[in-house]
Amino acid sequence: LVTAAAVATSESSRLRGKLALALPALFAAGRRLYEHPGIRGLYPEFLFATHCIIRASVPLMEIGRDRAASLVGDPVASGTARYLGEHIADELDHDAWLLEDLSSMGFDAPSVMARPPSPGVAQLVGAQYYWISHYHPVALLGYIALLEGYPPVPAEIEEVRARSGYPREAFRTLLAHAELDPGHRDELDQVIDALPLSPEQREVIGLSAISSVELLARVIDEIPQNATPVTAPRN
């Protein structure tokens, strides 16, 4: 029998509690972007930044899985490797979905791929490579907990669609994640709760999650400042 007290003090609940303190800044950045009067020009920029982040997801998990599998005799690493190995299949081709969304607005996929990601994106994703390679791959679970723990809200997606004037096809990836992420979040929470984490490992998961909130908010806030055309829309 799982008691209410046990649920309240589970490791995933503690992590979500930490994130709750930091998330208002991220949500505010999202509102500033979605409510921006130039949202039609900024929405492709948002998708470009999102694509830059998501195209690193599977490679990150592969590196995390392999690093975790190399830590023989470490039960936390073993559980992390097993989860990442299974979750990779869930995340395959999501970057391609975003390219299709951009294409539906008339943006050229080769030009998207040729454009350098921003330093903010590199900092966000690059921090995970450091945690994985130079500390412990369980840190990656904090990053995933953020990215999949707070899915897009369909009503807000529809509001942005209406204000931007883009077709529904330009929002397929956001709508898909609104449907898929709640299940992924619950699965990850179960994994975190089952791992025999040390105090230091609990700390690094939290550090990874909280620092990712700050860096992702920065990426979003920089979109209006750094916006340049991905490529000219086709007629």
Side-chain angles (χ1 to χ4, degrees), residues 29 127 173 190:
T173 301
Q190 292 172 10

Side-chain angles (χ1 to χ4, degrees), residues 182-216:
H184 293 169
R185 174 193 59 210
D186 294 346
E187 178 187 1
L188 176 58
D189 285 353
Q190 292 172 10
V191 169
I192 291 173
D193 290 340
L195 291 174
L197 298 167
S198 70
E200 294 80 10
Q201 289 165 340
R202 294 188 185 100
E203 181 181 6
V204 79
I205 291 173
L207 288 171
S208 172
I210 298 302
S211 64
S212 296
V213 171
E214 179 183 351
L215 291 168
L216 183 56

Side-chain angles (χ1 to χ4, degrees), residues 5-83:
V7 171
T9 58
S10 68
E11 191 55 45
S12 63
S13 295
R14 284 191 286 267
L15 176 61
R16 298 294 172 193
K18 293 176 184 177
L19 279 166
L21 298 175
L23 282 168
L26 178 58
F27 294 157
R31 285 194 300 273
R32 284 192 291 272
L33 178 66
Y34 294 158
E35 296 173 1
H36 195 285
I39 187 60
R40 182 171 177 83
L42 295 179
Y43 181 65
E45 293 293 321
F46 169 74
L47 288 191
F48 169 71
T50 304
H51 178 266
C52 291
I53 295 168
I54 288 183
R55 75 191 191 207
S57 294
V58 168
L60 262 180
M61 288 190 289
E62 290 173 338
I63 290 172
R65 176 201 60 197
D66 294 346
R67 165 80 169 134
S70 74
L71 301 177
V72 179
D74 180 339
V76 172
S78 176
T80 300
R82 183 166 53 253
Y83 164 74

Side-chain angles (χ1 to χ4, degrees), residues 58-166:
V58 168
L60 262 180
M61 288 190 289
E62 290 173 338
I63 290 172
R65 176 201 60 197
D66 294 346
R67 165 80 169 134
S70 74
L71 301 177
V72 179
D74 180 339
V76 172
S78 176
T80 300
R82 183 166 53 253
Y83 164 74
L84 293 175
E86 294 171 354
H87 193 50
I88 284 168
D90 296 330
E91 300 300 315
L92 286 173
D93 298 326
H94 289 199
D95 54 333
W97 297 358
L98 284 160
L99 290 178
E100 291 171 0
D101 291 356
L102 282 161
S103 179
S104 74
M105 294 184 287
F107 292 94
D108 181 73
S111 296
V112 173
M113 295 300 298
R115 180 177 168 188
S118 73
V121 169
Q123 290 170 356
L124 171 67
V125 176
Q128 298 306 310
Y129 284 101
Y130 182 92
W131 295 121
I132 290 167
S133 300
H134 301 291
Y135 189 68
H136 196 289
V138 76
L140 184 58
L141 302 189
Y143 178 75
I144 297 173
L146 170 65
L147 294 189
E148 298 203 344
Y150 306 90
V153 178
E156 293 179 356
I157 297 172
E158 176 57 29
E159 179 184 351
V160 174
R161 189 203 64 77
R163 292 184 59 242
S164 69
Y166 287 117

